[in-house]
Amino acid sequence: MINKKESVAMLLAGGQGSRLYALTNRIAKPAVSYGGKYRIIDFPLSNCVNSGIDTVGVLTQYQPLVLNDYIGNGEPWDLDRSYGGVHILSPYQAKHGQEWYKGTANAIYQNISFIKSYKPEYVLILSGDHIYKMNYAKMISAHKKTGAACTIAAIKVPLSEASRFGIINVKENGEIYEFEEKPKQPKSDLASMGIYVFSADKLYEYLEADEADENSSKDFGKDVLPKMLAAGEKMFAYTFKGYWKDVGTINSLFESNMDLLNRDSELDINDPTWKIRSRNPIAPPQYIGENGRAVNSVVVSGCEIEGDVENSILSHDVTIRKGAVVRNSIIFSGADIGEGAKIDYAIIDENVKIGKNASVGEQNSEGKISVIGRDVVVSDGAKVPAGEITDKDV
Amino acid sequence: MSALGLIFSNIHDNNIPELTAKRTVASIPFCGRYRLIDFALSNMVNSGIAKVGVITKSNFQSLMDHVGSGKDWDLARHYGGLFILPPFGVVENNFLYTTRLEALKNVTGFLNKSSEDFVVMSDSDMVCNMNFKPIIAYHVEKNAAMTFVYVEKEKYDVERKHTPCLTIENGVVEDVSYGSTEGKINLFTNVVVIKRTLLISMINEAVSHGKKHFIDDVVKPELSSGRVYAYKHEGYYEEITSLQKYYDENMKFLDKEVRDEVFRKANVYTKVKDSTPTEYGEKAIVKNSLVADGCRIEGEVYDSIIFRGVKIGRGTVVRNCILMQNTITGESVNLNCIIADKNVVIKDRRNLSGCENHPFFLPKGTVV
């Protein structure tokens, strides 16, 4: 058997996503719903497949049930392969005891034997926190061209915001000479996207060295990459242009969803040449009733709309009952919005039940998003004010 | 008790020539995102049947494209799964079956190779949610030779001339006749449960005697044994037997009760398309309509069924229509009582109208 893959992707999906609060109480961040039909992880997974990478290790740790269930055998992404395909890699027990993943670098280190079994030349490290469409094959070919040990994807951000990011300072040819983690006085506007291509041998070498270093926090950005640079390894930035949005906070998740309603947005999920794949729900077409209304919104199958929906995003099997008004909100699958309920500037998680005449969020409360966590029941007439986040029945 | 399924995909092609010009009855698009065979296949899968043969004859490319490996119905299996059974022809004997019995003769090889105890036969022109488990259990309990599934209908509900009706006495089928009496009739659904080995021997015997017709030549002689039982299916059941009926039955799904009965009691599986969510524009008005994923609605839609990937332009008004996959309407178009087959393009400012008891049909790919 020929057992070799040129590139293997490792997707770090273990993060708790604590800044998403109630939305990630019981599921990992990459499994959070996005854009009606998707989960965040659909973007890196689809990017892999569309870039011709068919071997993906997904590293899970925090609340992996929903994520594991969602990925399954990888069939929706054509990653159910006899050789390669998608693999869920969770922390495991070994002869010398068991360990949780201590940091991004340690997570990859613990799965080095998985990577080595494919004898790859290049290893692509990805995270499951961003919404973007990117051709990794182009980045890998740039990596080959420069002969670098490591290539880091970078994107230009407004200089005023650069102090929020890990900034990369590069020479004219794109070679990196300095990293600055959240600098107060940024020298450049190139931010690291947390996407790395390593030449496999260099990755193994530096992961092993980092593992042996007791003072290391076992993190790529903080430990491994600076060490490589200090050792004089050739490192290049690969500049990415296009839509790229972190969805790690309630506000950024909300904004990125709303970008789907903006036709001028750079994010085009309708592009037939770069399809974002997802696990499709088994549900009949959506129904809009005599009293229903849906304007400037995206809606997925299985929804039953008898109320009024504007500037909103509805996942599958959402029920909007008569007289309910939903504005500027994101409703995840299976939620039931009762008669006369008012929802404005809110994220309603999966299978939430909103009672009659209840209200969640307030008008014109941009930046103060109310969040109702999974399976919560909001009783008839209850009121959840703007900006309130709850995972308990109201 | 294990059972395998047999689905006839071509048998009613002549009923709806408009929609079957380039496809089988089984692959007629239905209710926004389905094809008719989805109901028969889902019924099988939901009843725990893991091996299904689909008997085809002609025009079955669209059907093959739709069912693929069967994975969307969980029928891509190492053991069992989906079997497409095309005609077994040789050059000197260019044989295409013309009757149900001949179709069965073609698949005796498949039946012989199988090891399941029972066979559930189903046509693919029906829309219903039918669980075969209790029917098979009933068949076993009665030690029946065959069990026929029927539904009670008013005569006027059924417009087909050659409608097979059952005369039933104490649960036993006494006679099969072709639509005669007024009032209530026992419409035979063509769903049959039979022991596999018995089916094989019946086919072989009938064919060796030069018989042609399954009901008249095989079933009827068996009736005197008193072991052909009737099983009544309750709930929604309709056959798509004409273009008008196709139109009317699609429209029935605007009723929540019908949707809940067919889609919410058990899953109806279909080929998934990775469509994007449907987008509703600033001026969109949609009332009493079913809309599939992947659409872009800028205009107005009333009392209609909109399939996947349909685009409705600004100022366009669609009433009482069935617009199949990827229909594109321009701006300021008026459509009333239209059935548009796949990939129809209707340009700006066109006015097209049929009427409710005579919908106007636009064939696949028409540009108006």
Side-chain angles (χ1 to χ4, degrees), chain A residues 68-83:
Chain A
N68 291 359
D69 206 36
Y70 184 68
I71 294 172
N73 67 349
E75 186 272 322
W77 303 270
D78 284 338
L79 286 173
D80 51 336
R81 303 289 176 109
S82 309
Y83 180 54

Side-chain angles (χ1 to χ4, degrees), chain B residues 33-226:
Chain B
R33 66 193 298 261
Y34 302 95
R35 304 259 184 169
L36 287 182
I37 196 172
D38 292 340
F39 297 96
L41 275 176
S42 300
N43 286 340
M44 299 270 175
V45 172
N46 291 332
S47 309
I49 294 175
K51 182 176 186 180
V52 179
V54 178
I55 303 176
T56 64
K57 178 170 74 171
S58 51
N59 289 353
F60 54 88
Q61 279 180 13
S62 65
L63 179 65
M64 298 277 287
D65 180 45
H66 180 68
V67 295
S69 65
K71 70 178 176 186
D72 291 322
W73 296 263
D74 287 340
L75 285 174
R77 307 265 185 123
H78 278 244
Y79 301 98
L82 183 74
F83 292 79
I84 301 284
L85 306 168
F88 193 87
V90 282
V91 179
E92 56 269 30
N93 172 21
N94 197 358
F95 175 78
L96 286 178
Y97 65 82
T98 52
T99 69
R100 192 180 294 270
L101 181 60
E102 287 170 356
L104 284 169
K105 169 67 186 151
N106 261 328
V107 300
T108 44
F110 171 73
L111 293 172
N112 274 318
K113 269 192 314 197
S114 300
S115 58
E116 284 77 3
D117 300 320
F118 297 101
V119 178
V120 178
M121 294 192 271
S122 168
D123 284 2
S124 50
D125 64 339
M126 61 179 193
V127 179
C128 67
N129 184 351
M130 190 187 287
N131 191 337
F132 302 132
K133 267 187 197 161
I135 306 173
I136 296 169
Y138 181 79
H139 180 82
V140 173
E141 180 198 318
K142 293 286 180 192
N143 190 26
M146 304 169 114
T147 300
F148 281 22
V149 180
Y150 71 99
V151 288
E152 257 184 26
K153 289 271 174 195
E154 294 295 331
K155 173 79 174 104
Y156 59 79
D157 282 343
V158 184
E159 56 179 51
R160 215 169 10 156
K161 284 197 195 87
H162 299 288
T163 309
C165 300
L166 305 181
T167 310
I168 300 163
E169 199 64 50
N170 297 326
V172 173
V173 179
E174 296 266 288
D175 193 17
V176 184
S177 55
Y178 297 96
S180 52
T181 48
E182 290 299 316
K184 273 200 173 27
I185 58 166
N186 300 319
L187 175 67
F188 176 36
T189 63
N190 285 314
V191 172
V192 176
V193 177
I194 183 171
K195 207 171 183 183
R196 182 180 56 88
T197 47
L198 177 63
L199 177 63
I200 296 169
S201 62
M202 278 177 149
I203 297 167
N204 287 340
E205 187 175 323
V207 171
S208 63
H209 286 92
K211 302 285 170 59
K212 287 263 186 248
H213 200 263
F214 183 69
I215 296 287
D216 291 348
D217 298 337
V218 180
V219 172
K220 282 196 174 171
E222 191 66 29
L223 293 178
S224 56
S225 73

